[in-house]
Amino acid sequence: MRTIDWNDESASIVMIDQTLLPMEYKVIECKTFASLCEAIKSLRVRGAPALGAAGAYGIALAATLSSASNMDALTKDLQIAAKTIKATRPTAVNLAWGVDRTMDAISDAFDLDGIKDVVLSEAKNIADEDVATNKKLGKHGAKLLEDGDTVMTHCNAGKMACVDWGTALGVIRSAIEAGKEIKVISCETRPLNQGGRITTWELMQDNIDVTLITDSMSGHVMSKGMVDKVIVGADRITGDAVFNKIGTYTHSVLAREHEIPFFVAAPISTFDPNNWEDTVTIEERDANELRFFKDVQIAPVDVKVYNPAFDATPMENVTAVITEKGVFYPPFLLDELLA
């Protein structure tokens, strides 16, 4: 199934609970608005494109659940829902993009039922477009990989981070689909191990050769000539930086030192022309994500913790950005790219 989808019969959002992978594959249902917000905050659904769909479906769910008796009241309910959804993950720009695009569709409605129909239709369109976008992105990026390449990746930018196919892993899938032999090195991606838990699981499901390493091994494997390319996803791209899962910046510095191409794969919807690195709020997560792994204590419970979810990779460390519109090499002007 898709990572996130809409169930017409129950009028609810269904998703794969990523917090349980790889130990358990479980599809959960969000029938309440609060359950969706919890799923976003707790990373049951995660990844920039998937969050775009989650935000859009969240507006559709809020519309379905609203008891408003007129268009103005329903619109006000949805405006409150939109603000609430956006606040759950402030750094990932696709979440707000999905919410805003769905809210903009309200202008096409003429009555109460029309609003509910149009926001659900727009949310479904966003989900469908994500799959098509990733396939296009993957084909552009596949041309950058050579037969026999070993690609290092960080976090999870596969189908679990999208509605389907993936961005960084979508490039790898597209290259393999084109007949190239590609191997993958996946960094575990502490503190929540999305690389170890999710990326490796995804690739093994598709019988793609993958080797797991700790985050701190990336410089070692690069120095040993074990990495030909690095491809990561992105949660936000400003004119001067790429925001991605914490640890990405470190890999970019090491890749530059070892003269290894460092690619970012992301849809156009992840670009943010209105901000720069210094104006973006980086989400800080619960300290217990570092003090515990699952329910096992791995650090003193009273130790001070700094736990940012993302870091910023300067554009000078990026070889190219792979999008559905093609491959772009910095420096580039975001306004021209988004035109």
Side-chain angles (χ1 to χ4, degrees), residues 95-131:
L95 179 63
W97 170 83
V99 168
D100 290 341
R101 178 172 153 180
T102 308
M103 289 294 294
D104 289 344
I106 292 175
S107 61
D108 295 330
F110 297 99
D111 56 29
L112 197 67
D113 288 336
I115 291 179
K116 296 181 180 182
D117 290 341
V118 77
V119 293
L120 178 56
S121 177
E122 189 67 11
K124 290 181 175 181
N125 287 340
I126 287 173
D128 290 342
E129 288 171 16
D130 179 65
V131 182

Side-chain angles (χ1 to χ4, degrees), residues 77-91:
D77 283 351
L78 297 187
Q79 288 171 342
I80 294 171
K83 185 176 181 179
T84 303
I85 294 171
K86 289 181 184 181
T88 58
R89 298 290 307 278
T91 309

Side-chain angles (χ1 to χ4, degrees), residues 190-192 285-307:
R190 284 286 296 143
L192 296 178
R285 297 191 57 80
D286 192 325
N288 281 337
E289 290 179 352
L290 271 72
R291 297 180 184 130
F292 292 82
F293 186 76
K294 296 294 185 180
D295 295 325
V296 179
Q297 182 182 336
I298 56 175
V301 293
D302 55 352
V303 67
K304 291 188 293 184
V305 168
Y306 175 54
N307 188 20

Side-chain angles (χ1 to χ4, degrees), residues 36-273:
L36 172 67
C37 291
E38 188 279 334
I40 296 171
K41 285 183 178 179
S42 64
L43 307 186
R44 300 184 194 284
V45 60
R46 45 147 296 281
L51 288 175
Y57 280 137
I59 297 300
L61 181 63
T64 299
L65 295 173
S66 174
S67 58
S69 58
N70 59 68
M71 290 181 66
D72 288 342
L74 178 55
T75 300
K76 185 175 181 180
D77 283 351
L78 297 187
Q79 288 171 342
I80 294 171
K83 185 176 181 179
T84 303
I85 294 171
K86 289 181 184 181
T88 58
R89 298 290 307 278
T91 309
V93 71
N94 287 68
L95 179 63
W97 170 83
V99 168
D100 290 341
R101 178 172 153 180
T102 308
M103 289 294 294
D104 289 344
I106 292 175
S107 61
D108 295 330
F110 297 99
D111 56 29
L112 197 67
D113 288 336
I115 291 179
K116 296 181 180 182
D117 290 341
V118 77
V119 293
L120 178 56
S121 177
E122 189 67 11
K124 290 181 175 181
N125 287 340
I126 287 173
D128 290 342
E129 288 171 16
D130 179 65
V131 182
T133 292
N134 291 332
K135 289 291 187 76
K136 290 178 182 178
L137 184 157
K139 288 183 178 179
H140 290 306
K143 298 174 184 177
L144 300 172
L145 302 185
E146 303 293 333
D147 186 27
D149 270 353
T150 295
V151 178
M152 193 181 85
T153 190
H154 186 67
C155 197
N156 172 260
K159 67 178 295 180
M160 289 294 114
C162 304
V163 177
D164 202 350
W165 199 248
T167 53
L169 298 193
V171 170
I172 292 166
R173 287 190 170 97
S174 295
I176 292 172
E177 192 175 68
K180 296 176 182 179
E181 182 179 338
I182 305 295
K183 295 181 179 180
V184 180
I185 292 177
S186 174
C187 296
E188 62 178 346
T189 320
R190 284 286 296 143
L192 296 178
N193 285 56
Q194 292 99 326
R197 293 187 303 105
I198 304 174
T199 292
T200 58
W201 177 83
E202 263 199 47
L203 295 177
M204 291 175 72
Q205 292 291 309
D206 289 346
N207 295 312
I208 296 174
D209 190 323
V210 58
T211 300
L212 176 65
I213 65 170
T214 67
D215 296 351
S216 57
M217 293 178 187
S218 64
H220 172 74
V221 297
M222 289 183 196
S223 71
K224 296 298 182 182
M226 298 169 64
V227 178
D228 298 297
K229 311 276 172 42
V230 179
I231 306 180
V232 300
D235 289 87
R236 184 189 297 251
I237 301 175
T238 61
D240 59 343
V242 172
F243 291 82
N244 194 49
K245 178 65 180 179
I246 190 75
T248 302
Y249 169 62
T250 304
H251 300 319
S252 77
V253 173
L254 290 165
R256 187 174 185 181
E257 173 67 21
H258 292 93
E259 299 182 342
I260 297 171
F262 185 92
F263 298 114
V264 175
I268 293 297
S269 57
T270 302
F271 286 77
D272 179 7

